[in-house]
Amino acid sequence: DVKVTQSSRYLVKRTGEKVFLECVQDMDHENMFWYRQDPGLGLRLIYFSYDVKMKEKGDIPEGYSVSREKKERFSLILESASTNQTSMYLCASSIAGGVGFETQYFGPGTRLLVL
Amino acid sequence: DQQVKQNSPSLSVQEGRISILNCDYTNSMFDYFLWYKKYPAEGPTFLISISSIKDKNEDGRFTVFLNKSAKHLSLHIVPSQPGDSAVYFCAASSGGYQKVTFGTGTKLQVIP
C-alpha cells in the first residue's frame, strides 16, 4: 500500500526560527512535492523534485528551500520562519511517467503555527 | 493568477440526491484533469481523472464531465452519501509535465 509520511502532525515555532519539515515515501516514486494549503487559496505548490538532488520552484517558493539527498526523502526548510508561513503543509509523491503519473499520493500534512 | 477555479466554496446536499461540483480553468494547454477528496486532518486522496480526449469518465458513483470549449469540468456524485462529506479539489496538468495545478476546493456536506 502506498505510504507518504510526514515527520510531525503539528508544530509550533517562533518567528525567526529555522524549521525543517520531513517527508518520506516508500513507493520508490521519482517525483516529490511540497504544497501549502490555506483557506480560500487551495493547494499551492512550493517546490518539487523529479530526481535526487534536483529541485524546481513551484508557484510560491519565496522563504522556502528544499533538500533531496535520497530518493525517498524530501525536506522543506523555512530558513527564518515568519507568521505568514503559518499553514498546513502537505507532501506528495508520484511516478515519473507512464500511466497514472499525474496522480499524486499525499501525506497527512503538518499543521505549522509560527508565533 | 488562479488558473483552476472552483467558484463554490461550499455545497450542501441531501443524502441520496446528486452532488455536482464545478471547476473552471483558463489554461488551454491543460490536457489532464483530476479530482481529489480531502477529509479533515488527512492528506488529499485521488478520486477520479479524465483526459482531454474524453468528455466523460465514470467510476461507480462518481462521474467527471469535461467541456473543453467552455474550459469547464464537473464532478457528479450519485447517490450522495454522508461519507462523501469532504473538501473536493479539482486539479489540472499539461503536456506530460509532472506539475499539477490545484483549485481552491469545494466543501461538500451531505445531510443524512
Side-chain angles (χ1 to χ4, degrees):
Chain A
D1 197 17
V2 163
K3 191 111 178 174
V4 179
T5 56
Q6 295 183 228
S7 51
S8 305
R9 295 301 301 267
Y10 302 95
L11 271 181
V12 180
K13 296 292 181 180
R14 296 275 177 199
T15 302
E17 279 193 78
K18 191 168 186 176
V19 182
F20 292 87
L21 302 182
E22 301 281 329
C23 175
V24 178
Q25 51 96 3
D26 66 359
M27 298 160 284
D28 202 36
H29 284 172
E30 290 80 7
N31 300 329
M32 295 188 75
F33 307 82
W34 275 106
Y35 295 89
R36 61 179 283 179
Q37 182 195 358
D38 300 288
L41 297 175
L43 273 67
R44 293 180 292 165
L45 182 64
I46 304 170
Y47 267 97
F48 68 102
S49 168
Y50 51 88
D51 201 352
V52 175
K53 297 192 185 296
M54 305 301 288
K55 62 185 179 184
E56 284 207 25
K57 293 180 180 179
D59 300 317
I60 50 164
E62 297 79 17
Y64 303 95
S65 62
V66 290
S67 172
R68 192 163 180 206
E69 297 297 319
K70 293 186 177 181
K71 188 176 185 180
E72 68 270 18
R73 189 178 297 268
F74 193 33
S75 302
L76 179 69
I77 303 150
L78 286 66
E79 298 290 343
S80 176
S82 63
T83 54
N84 63 12
Q85 292 179 308
T86 291
S87 186
M88 168 70 85
Y89 289 87
L90 292 158
C91 175
S93 71
S94 70
I95 58 174
V99 175
F101 79 92
E102 299 91 346
T103 303
Q104 296 181 13
Y105 298 86
F106 284 83
T110 296
R111 186 164 292 281
L112 173 67
L113 173 63
V114 182
L115 299 173
Chain B
D1 178 28
Q2 193 74 32
Q3 296 187 65
V4 179
K5 301 177 186 178
Q6 294 175 257
N7 292 318
S8 298
S10 63
L11 175 68
S12 288
V13 171
Q14 287 291 133
E15 181 178 4
R17 305 294 291 269
I18 184 170
S19 295
I20 300 176
L21 293 88
N22 293 304
C23 178
D24 297 295
Y25 62 96
T26 57
N27 188 342
S28 57
M29 299 300 290
F30 287 146
D31 58 5
Y32 198 84
F33 304 89
L34 310 95
W35 285 94
Y36 282 81
K37 176 179 177 178
K38 184 182 185 299
Y39 292 118
E42 293 183 16
T45 54
F46 170 74
L47 189 58
I48 192 169
S49 62
I50 188 167
S51 164
S52 60
I53 63 172
K54 294 185 174 182
D55 54 19
K56 176 182 173 181
N57 189 26
E58 201 170 342
D59 183 1
R61 297 185 296 114
F62 302 92
T63 303
V64 56
F65 295 92
L66 175 62
N67 182 333
K68 289 188 291 292
S69 60
K71 294 193 178 68
H72 177 84
L73 64 155
S74 60
L75 174 69
H76 292 211
I77 306 173
V78 183
S80 301
Q81 299 173 353
D84 296 329
S85 297
V87 176
Y88 289 79
F89 291 99
C90 171
S93 69
S94 61
Y97 192 45
Q98 295 91 335
K99 180 182 167 183
V100 172
T101 301
F102 284 83
T104 52
T106 296
K107 184 175 184 179
L108 173 65
Q109 181 184 21
V110 180
I111 304 163

